[in-house]
Amino acid sequence: MALFVIGDLHLALSVSNKKMDIFGGWENYMELLEKNWNEHITSEDTVVLAGDSSWAMNIRDAYEDFCWIEKMPGKKILLKGNHDYWWCSRKKMEDTFSSWGFSSLSILHNNHFVYENYGICGTRGWVNMPGEPQDAKVLAREAGRLTASIQSALKEELEPLVFLHYPPVYGNNCNPDILDVLYKYGVKYCWYGHLHGPSIKYAINGERDGIKFNLISSDFLQFKPVKIL
């Protein structure tokens, strides 16, 4: 049983105007993703999907995208990205998946999932916009959700592994609210997505302040879910 992660699938089977293969580096990305997934992931494995999984605007309209995810091998754990407009309450998402007969999809939201001696923790995160009151409120809420997720893992004496959508560090910039949570709880590993194209060159991949950061957006990974730890 292995643990994999990939972010930013940007599936568009449920919509017709959001095809990603119009962008450089995304040609035939669905075929590549399906090939790589089937070659490396088994039904016994777990895959964390770190946000921006579907372009659909609501959960019902995301059916075809989640059908595709459901048929892929392994257990999938989903967290929210900035383009996941279909995201709603955890109960509604879980009830919808159940009504569709899906059994491999789980939602990471104020909670954690167990993997061996680790707790899979995470939240969307946010951008750091000093002086913007609305952004400050959203950021505080995201830091609170990350705290709740990590604390739930620590209560079971699990080492937290953190997955975010937004990068907590980017070039010479950082998001102190999210980083403070990582520092407070001694998090050693953090995976994040969101960055594409030219912005990838500013991504932090490696250790900083005792935390190992890794970019896992799908185009950066060349649409191959990466095995971690």
Side-chain angles (χ1 to χ4, degrees), residues 169-194:
V169 288
Y170 178 65
N172 294 321
N173 299 314
C174 69
N175 192 318
D177 300 68
I178 297 295
L179 287 177
D180 283 349
V181 176
L182 302 182
Y183 298 147
K184 179 179 179 179
Y185 294 103
V187 171
K188 298 177 183 177
Y189 301 95
C190 177
W191 293 266
Y192 65 91
H194 184 65

Side-chain angles (χ1 to χ4, degrees), residues 3 8-9 23 42 61-62 70 77 98 116 125 144 174 185 216:
L3 179 61
D8 306 88
L9 301 186
F23 300 107
T42 74
D61 288 347
E70 170 71 12
I77 298 174
S98 178
E116 296 182 350
C174 69
Y185 294 103
I216 43 76

